[in-house]
Amino acid sequence: MPIVLDDTTHLLVLTGAGISAESGVPTFRDANGLWNSHRFEDLASPEGFAADPLLVWKFYSQRRRGLDNVKPNAAHHALVAVEQRLGERFLLVTQNVEGLHAAAGSRRMVEMHGNIMRTKCSGCRRTPFDDRASHDVLPPCDECGEPLRPDVVWFGEAIPPRALDAIDGFLKRGTNLVFLAVGTSGVVYPAAGLVDVVRRAGGASWLVNAEAPANVSRFDHVEIGPAGTVLPALFA
Ligand code: BJW
Ligand code: ZN
C-alpha cells in the first residue's frame, strides 16, 4: 500500500543502518552486525575511548576504508525523489554516519549521530573537520595536544542540538504529519522514541524494515522487506 502524500503532508523520515545494508555497509545488530563481533562499550562510548583510544581509532579507520567504494542504493534515491516533491514539508533524520544520504543528494537532512568522515578534538572546542584518513596511530590535536576522535555520537553523549532543534521545528510546523522509519532496530534512544512523539502529535506512522524491530507495535503501518525494493514502491 503506498503512502498518500498530498499538498499538506509533512513527512518526517528516520533512517538507520538497514537502509545502507544493500549498499554493503554493515549494520550493528544483525547476525553479521558490528556489535556482534565488537563490544560497543569498548568502541562507542567515551569510557571505551579513554581506556584505549588507539583501539577505537583502528575500529573507525577500518570502517572508513570499508566505505571507499560504497554507493547509495535505490532506497536512498527514493528519499531524494520524495524530498524534491515535498520541499520544506520534508525532513530526513538519519542515525547513519557514513554519508550515503548526502551522496545520494538529500539536502533537508540531519545526521543525528554525526559523521564518520569528520574528526574532532576530544579535549578542546576546535571545529570538527573533514577527514577521510585511516589513522593507525593516535592523532593529537594541533591546538591542545589531546587525542582527536571521530565526530560521531557515542552512548551517553548528547545528540547534537542542531539535530534536535531541526526535529522540534519540523514537528511544530507540521500539520498532516506522517512519520516513516526505515532500517532501524528501534532500541537506541532518542531515535527509537520519535515514533511516540509523532503519534502524540496526531501523526500517522510507517515502518519499513527487513524484520519486525523492538518498537514494531508502535507503528500504524508496517512493511517488512528490503528497503531498496519496498521504499521505491511505497512512494509510487
Ligand atoms: C534492514 C535491511 C534492509 C537490515 N532493509 N531493513 C531511554 C531509554 C533507554 C536508554 C536510553 C534512553 N535514552 C537514552 C538512553 C541511553 C542510550 C540508549 O539508547 N541505550 C539503549 C541502547 C539502551 N542512548 C544514548 O546514549 C544516546 N544519547 C543520549 O540519549 O544522550 C542523552 C544526553 C543528554 C544530555 C547530555 C548527555 C547525554 C546516544 C546514542 C548514540 C548511538 N551511537 C551509535 C554509534 C554511532 C557511531 C558509530 O557508527 O559507531 O549509533 S550505536 C549504533 O546504534 C549507531 C546507530 O546509529 C544506532 C542505531 O542502530 P540502527 O541504525 O537501528 O542499526 P541496527 O543494526 O540496530 O538495526 C538495523 C535494522 O535494519 C535491523 O532491524 C535490520 O532488520 C534492518 N535491516 N537490512 C531494511 N536491506
Ligand atoms: Zn584540541
Side-chain angles (χ1 to χ4, degrees), residues 30-229:
D30 288 308
N32 295 321
L34 293 169
W35 297 161
N36 274 329
S37 48
H38 301 81
R39 277 168 44 89
F40 67 82
E41 301 90 331
D42 294 343
L43 297 168
S45 75
E47 295 78 15
F49 184 68
D52 194 342
L54 187 55
L55 176 80
V56 174
W57 259 122
K58 286 184 171 169
F59 171 68
Y60 283 95
S61 292
Q62 191 181 17
R63 285 174 57 195
R64 281 181 178 179
R65 283 195 292 269
L67 292 170
D68 275 351
N69 297 311
V70 162
K71 303 253 179 320
N73 64 51
H76 299 99
H77 293 303
L79 292 178
V80 176
V82 175
E83 174 180 340
Q84 284 166 358
R85 264 168 77 187
L86 297 186
E88 62 179 22
R89 290 182 287 112
F90 176 92
L91 181 67
L92 170 58
V93 178
T94 187
Q95 299 168 86
N96 298 343
V97 298
E98 87 294 270
L100 283 181
H101 285 300
S106 289
R107 292 296 171 263
R108 295 173 196 277
M109 192 252 308
V110 287
E111 294 175 321
M112 70 181 291
H113 291 166
N115 191 303
I116 197 175
M117 298 301 186
R118 279 196 311 263
T119 288
K120 67 180 181 182
C121 179
S122 65
C124 72
R125 289 178 177 274
R126 180 179 168 188
T127 311
F129 56 93
D130 290 344
D131 183 9
R132 295 192 70 94
S134 295
H135 299 285
D136 289 324
V137 293
L138 203 56
C141 174
D142 290 344
E143 293 176 20
C144 74
E146 289 297 308
L148 295 174
R149 55 162 283 185
D151 186 19
V152 297
V153 180
W154 287 328
F155 285 108
E157 294 188 318
I159 306 301
R162 200 181 79 79
L164 297 178
D165 289 348
I167 298 168
D168 279 354
F170 189 80
L171 291 174
K172 281 192 185 114
R173 249 180 341 109
T175 52
N176 194 1
L177 190 61
V178 175
F179 176 69
L180 167 65
V182 185
T184 177
S185 57
V187 295
V188 175
Y189 286 81
L194 265 182
V195 59
D196 303 313
V197 175
V198 171
R199 285 171 69 105
R200 279 197 296 275
S205 53
W206 289 74
L207 171 75
V208 172
N209 213 62
E211 60 191 20
N215 59 354
V216 65
S217 63
R218 283 131 71 185
F219 288 85
D220 304 318
H221 307 273
V222 176
E223 302 281 338
I224 299 292
T229 309

